[in-house]
Amino acid sequence: MSKIAVVFWSGTGNTERMAELVAQGIREGGKEADVLPADAVSPADLKDLPVFALGCPSMGAEQLEESVMEGFVTEVEAFASGKTIGLFGSYGWGDGQWMRDWVERMQGAGAVVSGGEEAICKEAPDGDGEAACILLGKKLAAV
């Protein structure tokens, strides 16, 4: 079985819950999942993985969390080309622009972004948000 890393940063627990749902989808898709907080893993740990997921909520003016996740994502950009990456996260205001920017950023680095910007939730994941996260995990498992 192949293992897929699901790396996230969460301030309120919403994105952590989403990470668990993505992992559930990966497992339902027949692969193993490692759910890891971004501050407990190095971007270099993902370098040799062909598929992984990254999760971060919208912060400030619809941007990635700056103290941990922004630097993490910047390092991932350096080796993202050819990788399949699933992105997910929650937001409390705005319209999800941070996720559109993040998808564009990863695509610009040469990654295939599985599911595009589909796995976002306003606040805590609800039924639709839960289903989107599980579906993202299944898509990643199918790669």
Side-chain angles (χ1 to χ4, degrees), residues 5-29:
V6 180
V7 179
F8 71 94
W9 184 92
S10 186
T12 64
N14 293 336
T15 303
E16 181 174 11
R17 173 71 180 129
M18 294 175 77
E20 293 294 342
L21 291 163
V22 171
Q24 177 183 332
I26 290 168
R27 291 179 190 112
E28 288 177 10

Side-chain angles (χ1 to χ4, degrees), residues 58-74:
S58 170
M59 303 292 286
E62 291 214 59
Q63 60 200 35
L64 297 176
E65 187 278 329
E66 292 179 312
S67 68
V68 174
M69 206 63 188
E70 177 58 41
F72 194 99
V73 169
T74 297

Side-chain angles (χ1 to χ4, degrees), residues 12-15 17-18 89-93 120-126:
T12 64
N14 293 336
T15 303
R17 173 71 180 129
M18 294 175 77
S90 64
Y91 64 103
W93 56 89
I120 64 173
C121 299
K122 185 156 184 156
E123 306 295 344
D126 58 8

